Amino acid sequence: MSRFEPATGARGRRRLTLVVRLTVAFAAMALFSAVLAVVVQERTLSRDLRRAAEERLARAARAAERVALGRLHTLEERYRAVASTPQLRATLELSDAPTLTFLGEQLRAAQGAAAIELRDSAGGFSVRVGDAAVATAALREPTPSLFAVRDRLFAAISVPLETAGAQVGTLIAVEPIEAAELENWSELCGAEVKFGSAGSSSRQLAQPLHGIGTADLAVTADLAAERAALAAVRTRLALAGLAALAIAVVGCVALARSLVKPIRAIHDGVDRVRAGDFTVRLASARGDEIGDVARGIDLMVEHIRRSHQALDERVAELRRSQQHLATAQRLARVGSFELEVASGRVAGTPEFWALFGIADPDKGETADALLARIHPDDRSGVAEAAHACLESGMSAHLDHRLVLGEGAERFCHLQLQRIERDGEIRLEGTLQDVSERRRADEQIRFLAYHDGLTGLGNRRLFTERMELAIAQARRRSLGVGVLFLDLDHFKRINDTLGHSVGDELLRGVADRLVTSVREGDTVARSEEHADTAVSRLGGDEFIVLISDVVDPSDLAAVAQRILSALARPFQLSGHELVVGASIGIASWPADGVNIDALLSNADSAMYHAKSSGRNGYQFYDQSMNASAYRRLRLEARLRLALERGELALHYQPKVAPGSGRIAGFEALARWQDEELGSVPPAEFIPVAEQTGLIATLGRWSLRATCEQIVAWERALGPLDLRVSFNLSPREFQPGIAREMISLIEQVGVSPARLQVEITESLILRDEDAVIAALEELREHGLSIALDDFGTGYSSLNYLRRLPVDTLKIDRSFIAPIARSPSAGALTRSIIALGKALGLRVVAEGVEAPDQQALLHEWGCDEIQGFVISPALRPEDALARLRADRAS
């Protein structure tokens, strides 16, 4: 403190001289200001006060004018509401003076008006009530307006009276403006509103109002407050001069003290910084040299504090980095190490030693000791990689195994690089545990090459195994067999019992296929690889690969053994199921020299086995390619025919068996192709269903049927029959009923002329949705017929639930009724069943007169078949209808 005291005293003496000079200057300035304020500013302040009063009076005048006009507007709106009374307008229109006088008196009394005048639009008729002089004066004024009569202020308004948009007269109302209301206006405007003469003087200001008629209204303001304020200011200015002198003296004393205080604060701050406290802040706001010194010290201390803080942060960051590195190595199972080549000493991170299973690395381990912990099969590879890295300077990367206690192994990935530091050659690197990654890679590979449901190989694994088998067979001059297997009616199991049962069945089939291939068979591959011989391609398709085939005919034994294994019942979720399969057989190289050809030909053979009755096998034959080619060609031509509109509808009559009169038609699609010739429906309808063209074909068939009915009714008049059309199960989609009804409405045919024919397989898709759609069609007037009755899966059960109107007996029941009593009894019982349920019964495929006679005898409602007529072209069907009506 003593080192700063002389300087402080010297500076204090210099500031004391300044204080004296400031005291004299402030006293002179204060005295001069007081005189100037009294002598000069009195006039300026007086002028400013009067100007302010005049401006305030002008604002008050404008406000008073708006208040007066608002009063006139309110008065006019009130009387407009009164003028809307129908009685007042009607009485004026009739020129009924007594009644108008009465109504005017009532209105004047109710509204407190001074005068009311009612006059017609022509001005020839008027009624006046109240003060006549006031009313007369009001007529001389433009309305609305304020005017004066006998030193009283009045407000007058004029309201038109209208009837049906035409003016029938005018209502003139005059109300007094009382003194109390003027007082309210004064309060609203902030100045006194006077009625009468008013002029400006030295003590009062006045301003007349404009734009409100001839009334002498003015706004006045008293200047007494301004004069009193001016006198008070004069007194305060004098007192302020005296106060300035006193304040100057006191201020100088305070200034001297204020100079010593910051110097002492700077001294204390420097001592604290010297002691290591970097939080010191002088925070001086002074604008002189003392403030500059204080702020300089603050900047210096802040710089020192930041330097110390940055150093601390770097130390902390280094510690955190070390911790993060250790954590990251622990989580990633990575350890780093350094090997001194000359001494063989190894230094490593804790995770490095943990990977080797060494709990206490402080005991020290040499490179040879660590190398001994590597799996014997990998040890030489690690040693060679280390030597190569030292000699070439190139980094090394390799995987190896570590042998832990009790025979456990750990897969690791080693990275090495050569470095030279302080003249010593070292090896640095990392060691990472990749056991989990290896297991994940193996799992990924398994999932990539195996089917997730059955665990069998998938198409990718089959392709690789097939390539290997062909390569081996080529070297040994042997053959390779492929069995392409597809389960029969598997979709029916999914639809009826659910996909969970279907999946369980697929797993059971896979087990039996693997077992069948594993059984001793000189044709099959060796038993250790037998499970890879079976693969699942997807859905219910399996494929079996047989290598080292000497005679392709021996593959039949494998196929028969598979069919026998599948013939045993499956016990699945409480159900006993028997499933068949269709197998196609192809062999390399006779049936194809590459994998795609073999699979395609085996697939063709499988489809041929299905078409031959299912649950069997079929060797590939060149003729199958011709069948497959025709099917592809048929699909392409059918798609083109639908686009070009080359298909046509023929109509087969349905007649009553007794009278022979036409009861309806069935619309049947016919196709005559320029390349393929006549294609029967039994050939192109399945193709349409399998390729998705059935929806397009169905919409075309429905539209063509509707348009044909419209054409027949245009030619013959209203028809009393129904034309039926078939709805394929593959056409059924959500919204099909609404789509069909919309199409029928577009064509403009009556739904009562249409009948939808369905099969029992339709309900297997979604029973609730199908029944709802059929009921919607029936609600719109369409009839529903159940086609091919008796050939379904549960005909009687579905017949009870389906909303049908007609039962169609399949032709397979009709053909033998004349020669087989049992067949006849069955058909007769079906007819009786339909009758008992209130359904119409139609027999299909009637081809002989004796069949027709029996059906008539049993009460069948309608028959159709070649005994009546084949399907007719539209014009022939029209001729048949004409002939039927003529008879």
Side-chain angles (χ1 to χ4, degrees):
M1 179 66 185
S2 59
R3 290 178 300 169
F4 292 95
E5 285 178 353
T8 303
R11 184 172 294 274
R13 288 194 295 273
R14 288 197 296 274
R15 293 299 183 184
L16 184 61
T17 303
L18 181 61
V19 170
V20 172
R21 297 206 315 257
L22 288 176
T23 302
V24 174
F26 285 162
M29 290 175 59
L31 181 61
F32 178 76
S33 298
V35 172
L36 184 64
V38 173
V39 175
V40 179
Q41 292 192 4
E42 188 274 335
R43 292 182 179 276
T44 304
L45 183 59
S46 177
R47 185 178 63 251
D48 292 342
L49 288 174
R50 185 176 182 86
R51 185 179 300 149
E54 289 174 351
E55 291 177 357
R56 186 174 67 252
L57 187 63
R59 290 195 297 272
R62 290 194 294 272
E65 222 175 291
R66 288 195 295 272
V67 171
L69 292 177
R71 175 68 166 88
L72 291 174
H73 179 70
T74 303
L75 184 63
E76 184 177 354
E77 291 297 322
R78 179 153 45 87
Y79 279 96
R80 281 187 183 275
V82 173
S84 62
T85 307
Q87 181 182 7
L88 186 61
R89 297 196 304 270
T91 307
L92 179 61
E93 201 170 4
L94 295 175
S95 301
D96 185 355
T99 305
L100 280 177
T101 301
F102 173 74
L103 294 176
E105 285 291 349
Q106 278 190 327
L107 179 59
R108 186 181 69 80
Q111 301 296 329
I116 297 290
E117 181 167 341
L118 299 166
R119 54 172 53 192
D120 61 9
S121 58
F125 172 76
S126 65
V127 170
R128 179 181 295 170
V129 296
D131 192 329
V134 171
T136 302
L139 293 176
R140 293 195 297 268
E141 300 293 336
T143 56
S145 67
L146 298 177
F147 64 95
V149 177
R150 296 190 297 270
D151 297 330
R152 291 188 66 189
L153 185 62
F154 294 90
I157 56 96
S158 174
V159 177
L161 300 175
E162 297 179 347
T163 300
Q167 186 172 347
V168 299
T170 305
L171 167 64
I172 300 173
V174 183
E175 288 189 4
I177 305 297
E178 303 297 345
E181 188 167 357
L182 291 179
E183 292 179 1
N184 290 334
W185 291 9
S186 300
E187 292 180 1
L188 292 173
C189 300
E192 184 178 8
V193 181
K194 285 186 177 183
F195 169 62
S197 61
S200 298
S201 65
S202 60
R203 295 184 176 274
Q204 178 175 291
L205 293 177
Q207 180 171 334
L209 302 181
H210 302 283
I212 56 173
T214 60
D216 191 6
L217 278 179
V219 179
T220 64
D222 190 359
L223 296 179
E226 284 76 4
R227 295 176 65 83
L230 182 60
V233 168
R234 290 170 183 164
T235 303
R236 290 187 186 122
L237 287 174
L239 294 176
L242 296 176
L245 292 175
I247 291 172
V249 176
V250 175
C252 289
V253 175
L255 178 61
R257 293 180 178 178
S258 66
L259 292 176
V260 176
K261 183 177 180 180
I263 293 175
R264 289 179 177 174
I266 292 173
H267 175 263
D268 293 341
V270 171
D271 284 346
R272 290 172 60 187
V273 171
R274 189 171 53 190
D277 183 4
F278 300 111
T279 62
V280 174
R281 290 296 180 274
L282 300 176
S284 175
R286 298 178 65 94
D288 55 9
E289 291 82 354
I290 295 177
D292 294 339
V293 173
R295 285 186 290 274
I297 292 175
D298 284 346
L299 291 174
M300 180 189 66
V301 172
E302 177 65 18
H303 178 72
I304 296 174
R305 184 192 66 80
R306 288 180 179 178
S307 299
H308 277 263
Q309 184 179 0
L311 180 61
D312 293 341
E313 288 177 354
R314 287 171 184 169
V315 172
E317 183 178 356
L318 178 60
R319 291 173 180 171
R320 286 195 301 271
S321 297
Q322 292 176 340
Q323 294 174 355
H324 291 164
L325 178 61
T327 302
Q329 288 186 347
R330 185 176 67 256
L331 294 177
R333 306 284 291 169
V334 177
S336 58
F337 65 93
E338 183 179 279
L339 168 64
E340 293 181 1
V341 177
S343 63
R345 292 194 302 270
V346 178
T349 62
E351 189 61 28
F352 172 78
W353 300 113
L355 291 176
F356 276 93
I358 299 175
D360 187 9
D362 294 335
K363 293 181 178 180
E365 292 284 350
T366 63
D368 293 337
L370 295 180
L371 189 63
R373 292 175 178 264
I374 297 176
H375 194 280
D377 295 341
D378 302 334
R379 194 174 299 158
S380 61
V382 173
E384 291 174 2
H387 287 301
C389 182
L390 287 172
E391 292 176 0
S392 65
M394 302 292 290
S395 60
H397 303 264
L398 73 156
D399 290 343
H400 63 84
R401 289 165 290 176
L402 292 178
V403 179
L404 306 178
E406 300 180 358
E409 294 182 355
R410 176 177 290 153
F411 283 92
C412 292
H413 179 72
L414 176 65
Q415 298 185 64
L416 292 171
Q417 65 176 0
R418 179 180 180 272
I419 62 170
E420 187 171 350
R421 185 185 304 155
D422 299 332
E424 293 184 1
I425 298 177
R426 302 170 183 262
L427 281 178
E428 283 188 353
T430 60
L431 186 69
Q432 182 178 12
D433 184 357
V434 294
S435 302
E436 291 295 329
R437 189 180 70 188
R438 289 288 293 266
R439 282 191 288 269
D441 290 343
E442 292 174 0
Q443 179 68 18
I444 292 172
R445 178 175 175 81
F446 180 85
L447 294 175
Y449 283 88
H450 290 79
D451 174 51
L453 177 65
T454 62
L456 297 177
N458 57 14
R459 182 182 292 271
R460 178 182 294 181
L461 181 60
F462 170 79
T463 301
E464 292 187 2
R465 293 293 183 183
M466 186 72 183
E467 291 174 350
L468 178 62
I470 291 176
Q472 292 176 349
R474 186 179 286 111
R475 289 194 301 270
R476 300 174 185 176
S477 299
L478 296 173
V480 178
V482 174
L483 279 68
F484 199 109
L485 180 148
D486 185 88
L487 301 182
D488 296 331
H489 304 298
F490 177 72
K491 185 177 182 302
R492 186 187 306 171
I493 296 173
N494 266 346
D495 292 341
T496 54
L497 300 180
H499 289 275
S500 59
V501 175
D503 291 346
E504 191 176 352
L505 175 61
L506 290 175
R507 286 191 289 268
V509 169
D511 292 341
R512 293 193 184 182
L513 289 177
V514 172
T515 303
S516 299
V517 175
R518 278 178 173 170
E519 293 176 359
D521 193 327
T522 56
V523 178
R525 301 189 303 174
S526 62
E527 292 186 6
E528 61 176 337
H529 298 295
D531 56 338
T532 62
V534 183
S535 300
R536 178 177 177 234
L537 299 186
D540 58 339
E541 293 181 341
F542 297 84
I543 193 162
V544 179
L545 174 64
I546 307 296
S547 60
D548 298 339
V549 176
V550 177
D551 186 354
S553 62
D554 293 338
L555 297 172
V558 181
Q560 187 57 55
R561 188 166 65 245
I562 290 174
L563 293 175
S564 300
L566 296 179
R568 299 194 304 273
F570 289 88
Q571 303 293 333
L572 305 174
S573 301
H575 301 279
E576 183 176 278
L577 300 177
V578 177
V579 64
S582 299
I583 303 176
I585 304 175
S587 61
W588 180 88
D591 299 327
V593 295
N594 56 55
I595 297 174
D596 291 338
L598 276 175
L599 286 179
S600 177
N601 293 337
D603 189 24
S604 298
M606 183 272 294
Y607 275 107
H608 191 71
K610 280 190 178 294
S611 62
S612 300
R614 302 179 186 271
N615 198 29
Y617 60 87
Q618 184 71 45
F619 281 89
Y620 171 74
D621 187 82
Q622 289 291 341
S623 61
M624 296 177 185
N625 273 341
S627 175
Y629 175 73
R630 175 172 174 80
R631 184 182 179 280
L632 291 175
R633 190 180 177 200
L634 191 66
E635 177 185 346
R637 296 298 299 175
L638 177 59
R639 194 180 303 275
L640 189 62
L642 287 172
E643 293 175 356
R644 295 177 176 177
E646 295 178 353
L647 275 75
L649 285 181
H650 288 189
Y651 300 89
Q652 186 172 33
K654 293 185 283 188
V655 303
S659 64
R661 297 186 66 84
I662 295 179
F665 288 96
E666 180 178 1
L668 301 171
R670 294 293 184 262
W671 181 20
Q672 182 69 31
D673 187 75
E674 60 183 11
E675 293 184 6
L676 302 176
S678 179
V679 184
E683 188 173 357
F684 71 79
I685 293 296
V687 173
E689 290 182 337
Q690 294 167 8
T691 58
L693 294 174
I694 192 65
T696 304
L697 180 60
R699 286 192 296 272
W700 165 82
S701 176
L702 175 57
R703 180 179 290 276
T705 301
C706 295
E707 292 174 347
Q708 189 60 61
I709 294 173
V710 171
W712 285 342
E713 289 189 330
R714 191 180 300 116
L716 299 176
L719 299 177
D720 187 18
L721 52 82
R722 292 182 185 268
V723 180
S724 62
F725 60 93
N726 291 280
L727 179 64
S728 169
R730 295 184 180 270
E731 288 183 72
F732 190 86
Q733 299 294 335
I736 183 67
R738 186 65 262 171
E739 182 180 350
M740 292 171 61
I741 292 167
S742 175
L743 191 150
I744 292 169
E745 292 174 348
Q746 289 177 14
V747 178
V749 68
S750 172
R753 304 280 74 82
L754 293 168
Q755 184 176 69
V756 182
E757 291 194 9
I758 63 170
T759 60
E760 294 174 27
S761 60
L762 177 64
I763 201 170
L764 294 177
R765 300 178 65 84
D766 187 340
E767 181 177 341
D768 294 336
V770 169
I771 291 176
L774 295 179
E775 288 178 345
E776 184 176 356
L777 291 174
R778 290 184 73 190
E779 289 174 359
H780 283 80
L782 280 79
S783 172
I784 309 298
L786 183 61
D787 197 11
D788 300 335
F789 179 75
T791 62
Y793 314 119
S794 183
S795 301
L796 295 179
N797 185 32
Y798 288 145
L799 184 61
R800 178 177 56 83
R801 285 184 287 168
L802 284 174
V804 298
D805 307 285
T806 301
L807 193 65
K808 296 191 72 174
I809 306 175
D810 187 69
R811 63 180 65 246
S812 61
F813 290 91
I814 303 301
I817 61 174
R819 64 179 184 273
S820 172
S822 60
L826 180 58
T827 302
R828 185 168 52 201
S829 63
I830 292 175
I831 295 173
L833 174 64
K835 292 293 185 180
L837 294 175
L839 306 176
R840 291 186 64 80
V841 181
V842 180
E844 295 183 296
V846 182
E847 300 181 355
D850 53 353
Q851 296 173 349
Q852 179 179 356
L854 287 173
L855 291 170
H856 175 57
E857 177 185 345
W858 295 338
C860 185
D861 297 298
E862 300 173 16
I863 62 173
Q864 67 180 98
F866 285 103
V867 71
I868 304 300
S869 171
L872 303 173
R873 291 179 299 177
E875 58 270 21
D876 296 333
L878 177 61
R880 181 67 181 267
L881 283 172
R882 283 200 177 100
D884 192 65
R885 286 197 174 187
S887 62

